[in-house]
Each structure stands twice: as structure tokens, then as C-alpha cells.
Amino acid sequence: MIATIRRALDSDVGYSFRTSPTAIVAALIAAVCIVCALFATWIAPHNPFDLASLDLMNARLPPVWQEGGNPQFVLGTDDQGRDILSALMYGARISLVVGLASVVLSVLIGVTLGLLAGFVGGWLDGFLMRLCDVMLSFPPILIALLIAGVGRALFPNAHETLAFGVLIISITLAGWVQYARTVRGSTLVERSKEYVQAARVTGVAPLRIMGRHVLPNVMGPVLVLATIQVATAIITEATLSFLGVGAPPTSPSLGTLIRVGNDYLFSGEWWITIFPGLMLILIALSVNLLGDWLRDALNPRLR
């Protein structure tokens, strides 16, 4: 294990990471946010969604450094007396899970269709690319709103798990197109190279050529795009939740917390919406910075 880590740090990408202060800081911020989200049950000082532990007498308390603050609630409380710091940890968990799951599904769908379109070509390529053009003609948030709205209309009394499934699918259907177009362009270049022609001549099956030879050579841009799209998916989820069609109210994400705090923003309780907004910005900014670093690290022209 130690030897593997050492080899990774000694590689070109590892050296690029070690010599990039921006990437290191972004990775540390992302790691802290992920750890706090994953281990919120043990790290968070309170369980903000345990109704039995909530006290309306603690509602809308300011942060501890302001007059009237309570040391038990470092970042203050919301309108229901929930600890803002604990709510951020639990809310970030939901946002990260939805964002990562939707990106994974988008990569699977987009890479598969893009690989088929670029390698097979012909009518299949034309059909898939026209489908991508149709999807790109609609704003991604509009597609996500449509799918989320239809899902909630079909399953009005759905369980939380199903509600999260509809949310993930809505973001996935809005995000697979970029992967398909990226992989398709790279596959068109790779399929004309000598190693692919040699594999065809020796009788290797087309599916094996795509999976064993072409796919590894087109995954570089996909990894960079997926890293950046994680932040986009998290922001999309927060937008849907802010509009009321995202995460269920019983398990609010960062977007839901921002929406709740927005009602009190101009009445003096600024912390209810500002801190969830800052948490969302930190996560998105750190992931975007890592994506920019990865793009440069994997670019052979910049080595």
C-alpha cells in the first residue's frame, strides 16, 4: 500500500499535484467537506433531524460570537431550532451523494453511447448525435425540473429513497450528453489508428476492441469532465432543492437549507442562509479547482 502511494506521488500526475499549491489546498478543502459529510453522525454536535431533540425556544439563535449566541450552537440555529453546523454536515452528505451518483450514471450512459457512436458510425452515430443535439437545445436545469416534476406527479407519496432516485435520474438525463460527445470525438480519432486496425485484422471482436483498446485511450478527457461535472451536479441539485422539487423536506440538502434561510435573510437572521451558501460554494470551488488541475496534469502538451 505504501509502495503504491509512493509510486503515485512519483508519477507525472503526482509530481504535478505536489508542486501545485492550488490543487493541494483544493484537495484539503474537499477532503474536509467529504469527511464531515460522511461521518456527520459521529462528528456533528447535534442531530438536526431528530424532532424529539428540537426545542423551539432555541429557534433563530445567532452565531456564538454575536450577542445572544449560545455556545451549544456555534453557527446559530434555524427557524426550527436546528443547529446550523450540524445541518450543514448532514445536508452536505445528501448533496454529495446525489451529485456523485448522478455523475457516475451520466458517465456510464454517456461513455457507452459515445463509444458506440464513434466506433460503429453510420446511422447509429447520426441518430445518437441528433439526440444529443435535441438534449442540448434545452437548458439542463429545465430538463431536470421536468423529470423531477413528472416523477413527483407520478409518485406523490413516494418514499424518500424513491424521491432521491427521481432526483438523481433527473440530473443524470441532463448531464450524459457532454460525455457522449466527448467520447465520440475521441473514438473517431482512435478507431483510425494502427493498433485498432491491427486488432481488426487479427479477428478481435468489435466489443473487445472497444472495451480493451479504445476505451482506456479516451478516458482521460472523461475523468477531467467528470471531476468538473461533480460540482455542476451538486449545484443543480441545490437549485432543484431551492425550487422545492429536490430533496424531500424531511432530509434537506444544502439547497433546501438555503431556501429556508432565504425567508429570514432580510429580517436579520442572515446566518440561516449564508452558511449553507458558503458551504455549497466551498464544495463547488474546490472540486472545480481540482478539475482544472487534473485537466492540466493530463495534458501532454503542458508536461
Side-chain angles (χ1 to χ4, degrees):
M1 183 66 180
I2 298 178
T4 303
I5 296 176
R6 185 174 300 172
R7 284 196 300 270
L9 292 176
D10 291 337
S11 64
D12 292 339
V13 176
Y15 176 78
S16 175
F17 178 79
R18 289 188 288 109
T19 56
S20 174
T22 302
I24 295 174
V25 172
L28 288 176
I29 294 175
V32 170
C33 294
I34 292 173
V35 169
C36 290
L38 292 178
F39 301 99
T41 306
W42 299 276
I43 298 177
H46 305 276
N47 185 352
F49 308 129
D50 183 9
L51 298 180
S53 64
L54 297 181
D55 186 358
L56 290 178
M57 297 299 293
N58 294 325
R60 290 184 284 181
L61 292 178
V64 67
W65 58 84
Q66 283 195 348
E67 183 179 356
N70 190 328
Q72 292 184 357
F73 310 106
V74 178
L75 299 182
T77 60
D78 63 2
D79 59 321
Q80 299 181 31
R82 295 181 296 196
D83 178 41
I84 294 295
L85 178 59
S86 302
L88 290 181
M89 295 182 184
Y90 280 85
R93 172 192 293 180
I94 296 173
S95 298
L96 287 171
V97 168
V98 172
L100 290 174
S102 60
V103 168
V104 169
L105 289 178
S106 296
V107 169
L108 291 176
I109 297 173
V111 169
T112 302
L113 296 181
L115 198 61
L116 287 173
F119 192 83
V120 176
W123 67 268
L124 181 61
D125 181 25
F127 171 76
L128 291 176
M129 289 304 101
R130 297 299 77 74
L131 179 61
C132 290
D133 292 337
V134 171
M135 296 294 291
L136 288 174
S137 64
F138 296 95
I141 189 64
L142 182 61
I143 299 175
L145 275 172
L146 177 63
I147 300 300
V150 170
R152 285 181 173 270
L154 294 176
F155 307 102
N157 299 319
H159 189 267
E160 286 187 6
T161 304
L162 183 58
F164 281 119
V166 172
L167 180 59
I168 291 172
I169 291 174
S170 65
I171 300 176
T172 298
L173 293 180
W176 66 270
V177 177
Q178 298 187 36
Y179 300 99
R181 293 174 69 90
T182 300
V183 172
R184 184 247 185 188
S186 299
T187 303
L188 288 175
V189 175
E190 295 296 325
R191 75 174 186 178
S192 61
K193 291 187 176 179
E194 294 180 354
Y195 73 92
V196 175
Q197 302 299 327
R200 282 176 170 173
V201 170
T202 56
V204 180
L207 287 178
R208 187 177 179 85
I209 295 176
M210 286 190 289
R212 293 291 300 274
H213 300 284
V214 178
L215 182 60
N217 291 308
V218 302
M219 285 303 293
V222 172
L223 292 176
V224 176
L225 182 59
T227 303
I228 298 175
Q229 285 296 104
V230 169
T232 303
I234 292 174
I235 293 176
T236 302
E237 182 278 327
T239 303
L240 293 175
S241 297
F242 182 83
L243 296 174
V245 295
T250 53
S251 300
S253 66
L254 294 177
T256 307
L257 296 174
I258 295 173
R259 177 173 60 85
V260 171
N262 189 59
D263 298 333
Y264 301 93
L265 180 60
F266 297 105
S267 61
E269 289 83 9
W270 54 269
W271 57 88
I272 302 179
T273 189
I274 292 298
F275 288 129
L278 289 176
M279 183 73 169
L280 182 63
I281 291 173
L282 278 178
I283 295 175
L285 180 61
S286 61
V287 173
N288 278 331
L289 289 176
L290 284 176
D292 290 339
W293 159 77
L294 188 61
R295 178 193 59 199
D296 296 337
L298 295 179
N299 190 347
R301 296 180 180 178
L302 299 179
R303 293 179 184 176

